[in-house]
Amino acid sequence: MSTLHLTPEERALLNGAEGTGVQQAMEIVVTLGRIYGATELVPIASAHISGVSYKNLGDAGLEFLDRWADEGARSRVPAWLNPMGMEAARWREMGIPADFGEPQLEVIEAFQRMGVTPELTCTPYLLPDHIPQRGQHLAWAESSAVVFANSVLGARTNREGGPSALASAIVGRTARFGYHLDEGRRATHVVEVTCPLHSVADFGALGQIVGQRVGGCVPCFADLRQWLPLLPRDITYGGEAVDRLKTLGASLAAYGAVALFHIAGYTPEAVDAGESLLRVDARHIVVDNLKTAYEAMNDADVLDIDLVSIGCPHASLAEIVQVADLVRGRRLQTQLWVTTARRTREAAVAEGWVQSIESAGGRVVADTCTVVAPLRILGIRSVATNAAKTACYAPAHSGVHVRFGTLEQCLEAALSGRWSA
Ligand code: F3S
C-alpha cells in the first residue's frame, strides 16, 4: 500500500492552520488521495465545479455551501462553475418561478463568497483566459470539459465530483493519481471507424457507441482525423474541428465514463507518442455504422416538439452563427434554446447573431442548459437536439422525450413544430 506524503504546508492545512473550512477541504483531497493510492498532491492551475443547479442541490446542498463559506473556505486558484438551472439576468423572463430562482441565486452567492468566479459554462476552454495549457494539472468536474482538456489540449485532470473540485480549489491541489500520471493516459482500446462522419451529430452518435463499449477506459481512434479539419490555433471561436471534438468527448463521457481519448496523428499526446501510447493489452473495436446510436437516441413516438435545444456542450460562436443563418428572417413554431457561455453570448450579440435568432422567436440562453434547467416546471415535454449528451440525460433528468438528429433537422423541427425523419 503506497503512502501519501504531504509537505509541511499541506500538513498544516490538514491540521487546521487556516481554519475549519480549509481543513475540511484538505481532508477531502487527502482522503481521495489515500483511497486511490496517490503518493503526493500536485498543485492545480484551475478548478471547474459542477453540481451547481438548485435542481440537483436542493436546500441541503445550499446549506452545505453556505456553511463552508462561513467557515472561511476560499479558492486559491481560478475557479468557475458549470451551468445552473437558469440564466442569472433573465430567469423571470424564462418563466422560472421564484421558489426556484431565488435559492438558485443564493447558491451562486455562496460560491462567490468562496472566491469562485460566477462564470457558468461547461466549455470554459472556449474562453480566452481559461484555456488550460498542455501538461497543466487541473481539478475539473464537468465530464465533457474534462475530456476536452485531457484529450484535445493535453492538460491533466481526473473526473472530479463537484465537492472534490471545490475542495481542490480551496487547497490549490489535487491528489496525483489516474489521469495525472503517464500510465493512466495510455490507450486501452484501438477504435477503427469504417463509416463516414459528416456532422456534429454523427460524432455524438460515435461517442454513444464507443462510450458504451469502453466504459471508463481510454480509446484511441485510429483513423478519425480524415473526418476532422485541422484544429485552429485559436480554438475560442469553435468551428468544425472544435465542435465535433467537444461533442464526441461529451458523448463518450455520458454513455461511458471516458475522461480521455486519443486520435492517432491528431491529438497532442498521440502525435508525440505514436504507437507507444497503446497499452500492450489494448483491445480492438470496429465501428462500421451509426444506425444503432441514432435509433437508441430517438424516441420514435414523438412527432410534436416543444423545445429545440442546441448547445450541449455550450455552443461556440461558430455554432451560434450557423443557427442564426438557418433561422434569419423566419418564424419558429417551437421554443428554441441555444445554450452558451455568457461571454460567448455577449460576443454573439456584438455580431448581431443573437438578434437574428431572437427575432425568429428563439433564445440564446447563458448560464444554463436543458439538462439542468427545470424543464417540467416550464411545461416542456419533448425536446429535439443535435447533442448526444442531452439525448442521454434529458429523459431521466428532465422527464422529457427526445428526438436526436443533425442541426439542420433540429432547426427544421423548430420551423415546422414537428420532427420529420
Ligand atoms: Fe453542458 Fe449541460 Fe450539456 S452542462 S455538456 S450543456 S448537459
Side-chain angles (χ1 to χ4, degrees):
M1 172 97 182
S2 50
T3 307
L4 179 65
H5 299 285
L6 299 180
T7 65
E9 188 198 346
E10 289 162 355
R11 231 173 290 123
L13 298 184
L14 189 60
N15 291 332
E18 294 195 16
T20 50
V22 179
Q23 184 177 26
Q24 278 167 22
M26 200 59 170
E27 281 167 359
I28 292 172
V29 172
V30 165
T31 302
L32 283 171
R34 289 193 175 126
I35 290 171
Y36 289 101
T39 57
E40 62 179 350
L41 305 187
V42 63
I44 55 167
S46 63
H48 186 253
I49 300 154
S50 66
V52 173
S53 175
Y54 179 67
K55 179 174 151 184
N56 306 325
L57 285 168
D59 289 329
L62 173 56
E63 275 166 36
F64 170 80
L65 291 171
D66 267 334
R67 210 175 321 120
W68 220 353
D70 290 344
E71 284 164 352
R74 299 289 177 271
S75 178
R76 282 161 211 256
V77 295
W80 324 288
L81 298 169
N82 222 26
M84 62 172 166
M86 61 193 203
E87 180 163 347
R90 301 193 298 170
W91 59 275
R92 286 199 174 82
E93 204 183 298
M94 287 173 75
I96 302 283
D99 61 356
F100 184 96
E102 285 165 5
Q104 177 66 86
L105 292 179
E106 287 175 41
V107 167
I108 304 309
E109 274 168 33
F111 279 115
Q112 280 186 272
R113 286 204 288 137
M114 287 188 267
V116 177
T117 308
E119 196 135 49
L120 298 118
T121 179
C122 50
T123 56
Y125 49 84
L126 294 182
L127 301 176
D129 45 352
H130 293 355
I131 305 170
Q133 301 301 306
R134 185 167 177 191
Q136 274 183 339
H137 296 276
L138 318 170
W140 282 20
E142 160 52 36
S143 64
S144 66
V146 164
V147 193
F148 197 94
N150 274 329
S151 315
V152 181
L153 304 176
R156 296 185 170 218
T157 175
N158 286 321
R159 278 168 60 122
E160 300 281 348
S164 72
L166 179 56
S168 295
I170 292 164
V171 299
R173 297 158 169 81
T174 191
R176 187 177 203 137
F177 66 92
Y179 298 99
H180 293 283
L181 302 171
D182 289 345
E183 185 53 31
R185 302 178 69 84
R186 295 180 67 198
T188 57
H189 293 73
V190 177
V191 183
E192 199 185 328
V193 182
T194 60
C195 54
L197 299 166
H198 294 302
S199 63
V200 160
D202 281 353
F203 273 75
L206 176 64
Q208 192 266 8
I209 293 168
V210 176
Q212 287 190 336
R213 297 277 295 274
V214 307
C217 293
V218 181
C220 179
F221 293 93
D223 40 19
L224 210 54
R225 72 183 160 146
Q226 63 182 307
W227 306 111
L228 286 163
L230 277 182
L231 202 65
R233 194 174 289 272
D234 174 9
I235 64 168
T236 58
Y237 180 79
E240 275 307 291
V242 173
D243 299 335
R244 290 178 174 195
L245 289 169
K246 76 178 167 69
T247 298
L248 173 65
S251 182
L252 286 166
Y255 284 96
V258 171
L260 166 67
F261 65 82
H262 303 290
I263 300 175
Y266 191 92
T267 51
E269 288 167 42
V271 167
D272 286 357
E275 299 254 307
S276 65
L277 198 64
L278 304 181
R279 279 174 41 162
V280 283
D281 57 351
R283 299 213 200 131
H284 198 255
I285 291 176
V286 177
V287 178
D288 58 9
N289 72 79
L290 304 175
K291 194 163 172 271
T292 55
Y294 274 91
E295 282 171 0
M297 291 191 281
N298 259 288
D299 187 334
D301 294 333
V302 176
L303 292 176
D304 293 327
I305 301 297
D306 294 331
L307 171 70
V308 172
S309 168
I310 306 297
C312 168
H314 269 176
S316 66
L317 282 167
E319 289 174 306
I320 295 174
V321 73
Q322 272 178 282
V323 175
D325 287 346
L326 287 163
V327 303
R328 187 174 291 112
R330 304 177 77 182
R331 193 72 217 155
L332 302 179
Q333 302 303 317
T334 70
Q335 294 191 54
L336 164 67
W337 286 10
V338 182
T339 49
T340 192
R342 205 179 309 163
R343 274 199 268 163
T344 306
R345 185 181 188 281
E346 284 162 12
V349 167
E351 297 292 338
W353 302 329
V354 169
Q355 294 85 328
S356 296
I357 294 168
E358 300 202 338
S359 310
R363 283 173 190 272
V364 180
V365 189
D367 309 330
T368 187
C369 79
T370 43
V371 171
V372 293
L375 294 192
R376 297 289 288 196
I377 295 178
L378 300 176
I380 291 161
R381 300 282 184 272
S382 56
V383 172
T385 184
N386 67 340
K389 181 170 174 179
T390 298
C392 180
Y393 288 132
H397 281 237
S398 305
V400 294
H401 299 280
V402 171
R403 278 293 193 168
F404 171 79
T406 63
L407 178 72
E408 290 76 11
Q409 270 178 298
C410 290
L411 293 178
E412 269 312 309
L415 288 162
S416 68
R418 279 174 74 79
W419 187 259
S420 84

